[in-house]
Structures are given as structure tokens and as C-alpha cells.
Amino acid sequence: MENNSHCDLDHRHIIVTAFVSNPPLTVEIGENWLHELVDIVDMKILMNASAIYCEDLGNEGVTGVVGLTTSHASFHSWHDCEKPFVQMDLYSCRHFEIEDVLNHMLKFGAYEIDYVLIDRNLKANNPIQRVNRTYNKETNIWE
């Protein structure tokens, strides 16, 4: 009999735009952030985290990716903008907590986040959700 266990997994993809006060400026910071993310969401590395600094005019910033046994995580940062920001995504067929991902963005000084959560399960009822949240420093929660 064919094994269809992949059909019962939790296929979700979060795509985040975070306005930040402390964008990553070095490859080392980017790679460390990816390794920490993997630990926080309790996943396993398949392809080691790799980051590089992009020097293209208008696109200056650190970009990085890590391969997971359950898929991938990646990011790119723009530090030279009026409002520096980081775009990242995490796709996995293993469950992860959205709050864990958002809280990890605090390492970059995230204060406002827009994210899209895509439920990539085969029979998803509400496959796409778009959310905007602001971090409240007094209560230490995303609102």
C-alpha cells in the first residue's frame, strides 16, 4: 500500500515584512539569526544556513537561506531605507507557532509586521490570511 503520510502534515507558509530598527548588517548576524530561528521553531537543518551581503545599488543588505528537513527559511534586509525592513519567509510541513516567528523578528528591532499566512494543506478552508501587527513595548506583545 502507498504511504500518503505527506497528506496529513501541516503545510504552512508565513511570509513576513517587518519594519525594523536594527537590521542585520553582517553575514554572521544573518546566519546566526537563521540558526536561532531553526531552534526556536524546533526544526532540523538539512542545508546549513548561508548568508551574503548584496551590494547592488538600491538592494543593499544581507540575504540568507537555510534548508530544513521540512522545507526552508529565508530573508533579505534593506538597511539603507528611510524605514529599514526585513522580508522573510518560512515554509514547513511541520507545525510552527506564528508568535515564535514574530518574536524572533524582535532580534532585528521589529516594531511593525505585515504577514501573510498561506495554508498549503490540500483541503484548506481558508488558505490565505493577511495580518498587520504592531509590537507594544510596554506589554511585550504583538497587537
Side-chain angles (χ1 to χ4, degrees):
M1 176 168 220
E2 189 175 325
N3 181 352
N4 288 325
S5 62
H6 65 279
C7 298
D8 298 328
L9 300 174
D10 187 18
H11 299 270
R12 294 193 311 162
H13 194 167
I14 186 170
I15 303 167
V16 177
T17 299
F19 293 98
V20 299
S21 59
N22 187 32
L25 299 176
T26 68
V27 167
E28 181 181 20
I29 291 170
E31 289 175 351
N32 288 341
W33 185 86
L34 286 166
H35 281 281
E36 291 167 0
L37 175 65
V38 172
D39 289 341
I40 288 167
V41 296
D42 195 29
M43 305 228 177
K44 294 180 183 168
I45 292 176
L46 180 63
M47 181 178 69
N48 201 26
S50 178
I52 192 164
Y53 186 85
C54 177
E55 296 182 10
D56 292 355
L57 187 61
N59 202 35
E60 299 93 345
V62 177
T63 192
V65 64
V66 62
L68 306 173
T69 58
T70 54
S71 198
H72 75 275
S74 64
F75 78 92
H76 187 80
S77 63
W78 289 263
H79 61 80
D80 236 1
C81 300
E82 185 176 324
K83 284 177 68 173
F85 64 103
V86 174
Q87 297 219 22
M88 67 84 58
D89 80 298
L90 169 63
Y91 170 66
S92 179
C93 56
R94 185 172 186 275
H95 181 78
F96 59 90
E97 295 295 330
I98 302 300
E99 293 297 314
D100 291 342
V101 175
L102 301 184
N103 287 336
H104 192 50
M105 298 300 295
L106 293 171
K107 287 262 187 177
F108 297 147
Y111 58 87
E112 183 179 351
I113 283 183
D114 286 307
Y115 70 86
V116 175
L117 181 63
I118 303 172
D119 182 343
R120 295 173 64 173
N121 290 294
L122 299 177
K123 296 180 181 178
N125 290 327
N126 186 14
I128 301 176
Q129 300 171 25
R130 186 177 189 108
V131 181
N132 176 273
R133 296 176 71 182
T134 303
Y135 189 72
N136 184 326
K137 289 183 181 180
E138 292 178 17
T139 62
N140 291 324
I141 60 170
W142 290 98
E143 298 176 342

